[in-house]
Amino acid sequence: MKIQTAMILAGGLGTRFKEYTQDIPKPMIEANGTPLLIHIIRIYLNFNIKNFVILAGYKKNIIESYFEGKYKKLSEVDHIYEFENSSIVTILETGDETMTGGRIKKGFDYLNEEEAFLTYGDGIANIDIDTQVKEHYKYKPLATLTAVRPPARFGSLKILDNKVTQFNEKNHQSDDGWINGGFFILNSEVVNFIEDTSEAFEKAPLEKISEIGKLNAYKHRGLFRPVDTIRELEILETELTNNDFGFRLR
């Protein structure tokens, strides 16, 4: 079965990057003149993924205005746009105060699809989506996350034979060099582990999925660039200029 849709988390407050996020949502921060959100969509376009759902909340009108000014609107009621390479982008309202778990639940409720990609709106990687999908179907978990090499300030994953045996997010030190880099493949059954919209997906839901042996890791050894500071944004812009990612992101 081909996974049709990528959901992108774009509704948080972006509190770690207040230099920009007082005025715009974090995924709309521009790298070399293009929002992070667009760079991320183009990652998936390289692998012929054509349907995108932006899980919006905080300052969603900024995202809507961007698409309104550049792309053909396909609905008189909803914010659905024709994007590059005949792809479709839907901007879905998921609430200003909703946490990541709640946004994911609302995304699956809207899609009514068995599986979907999911990633954050502030991380760029030259991940091989096709290889990730093959691994996902080989092990058949409820969720596959992309494990990446961490800056020390991130949390940690413990991995045994490509299975996540312990999931600790951000407030734990990494002891084996891997952290959650996003770029998930999710079965819709993950919503059964999300109790309400105020729950962070990275806390109890992923911990419970890990405990029952249904959370797998796809180890990405290539380039991964989180954008939480001006310095990281500057590094990303240099990497984009040098085409370090190896495929089209701009």
Side-chain angles (χ1 to χ4, degrees):
M1 183 187 72
K2 178 176 170 56
I3 303 173
Q4 305 286 335
T5 301
M7 300 188 293
I8 303 174
L9 290 160
L13 298 178
T15 54
R16 286 182 294 187
F17 211 151
K18 288 186 177 179
E19 297 95 332
Y20 286 92
T21 56
Q22 288 181 357
D23 300 316
I24 61 174
K26 191 176 181 184
M28 295 305 291
I29 294 172
E30 292 189 355
N32 290 351
T34 299
L36 296 173
L37 179 62
I38 303 302
H39 290 300
I40 293 166
I41 290 173
R42 288 173 178 166
I43 295 171
Y44 288 100
L45 285 177
N46 279 280
F47 297 92
N48 206 35
I49 307 304
K50 296 293 186 73
N51 191 43
F52 300 91
V53 176
I54 312 305
L55 304 177
Y58 173 70
K59 294 189 180 295
K60 71 178 179 64
N61 62 298
I62 303 293
I63 304 175
E64 293 167 351
S65 295
Y66 178 87
F67 281 89
E68 198 82 29
K70 290 179 177 290
Y71 303 102
K72 180 181 178 182
K73 193 173 184 182
L74 300 179
S75 170
E76 293 184 3
V77 178
D78 299 315
H79 290 278
I80 303 173
Y81 303 89
E82 183 178 333
F83 191 62
E84 300 167 0
N85 298 340
S86 301
S87 61
I88 304 297
V89 172
T90 300
I91 302 168
L92 183 67
E93 166 63 65
T94 60
D96 283 6
E97 304 298 326
T98 306
M99 297 296 287
T100 50
R103 297 191 198 283
I104 291 166
K105 181 174 173 52
K106 290 182 179 185
F108 270 117
D109 287 346
Y110 174 81
L111 282 176
N112 194 30
E113 294 178 10
E114 185 176 335
E115 290 183 299
F117 297 102
L118 172 86
T119 197
Y120 302 107
D122 60 357
I124 309 292
N126 59 351
I127 178 174
D128 186 335
I129 298 293
D130 288 342
T131 301
Q132 183 195 29
V133 169
K134 289 177 184 177
E135 282 203 14
H136 179 75
Y137 285 129
K138 177 181 178 181
Y139 295 103
K140 298 180 181 179
L142 290 180
T144 294
L145 59 75
T146 296
V148 297
R149 294 294 186 184
R153 62 189 173 83
F154 285 83
S156 64
L157 303 170
K158 290 186 178 179
I159 301 172
L160 179 63
D161 295 329
N162 283 342
K163 194 172 296 293
V164 178
T165 59
Q166 184 175 337
F167 183 96
N168 295 311
E169 181 73 355
K170 294 181 182 178
N171 58 340
H172 291 73
Q173 290 296 316
S174 174
D175 56 12
D176 65 352
W178 297 99
I179 57 101
N180 169 26
F183 295 95
F184 296 87
I185 300 173
L186 300 179
N187 186 290
S188 61
E189 290 182 26
V190 300
V191 303
N192 298 328
F193 296 82
I194 301 168
E195 292 188 2
D196 56 53
T197 60
S198 63
E199 190 166 33
F201 187 59
E202 300 80 7
K203 300 294 184 181
L206 278 184
E207 291 168 0
K208 291 175 184 176
I209 294 169
S210 172
E211 288 169 2
I212 65 171
K214 290 293 186 178
L215 176 61
N216 275 28
Y218 170 71
K219 292 181 178 178
H220 172 61
R221 293 177 169 84
L223 189 60
F224 169 71
R225 179 59 56 202
V227 182
D228 282 325
T229 66
I230 290 175
R231 177 57 182 154
E232 287 173 338
L233 178 60
E234 291 171 345
I235 294 170
L236 172 62
E237 290 185 320
T238 299
E239 290 166 338
L240 291 171
T241 298
N242 295 339
N243 196 29
D244 291 341
F245 290 91
F247 48 60
R248 179 178 177 267
L249 292 176
R250 56 189 174 91

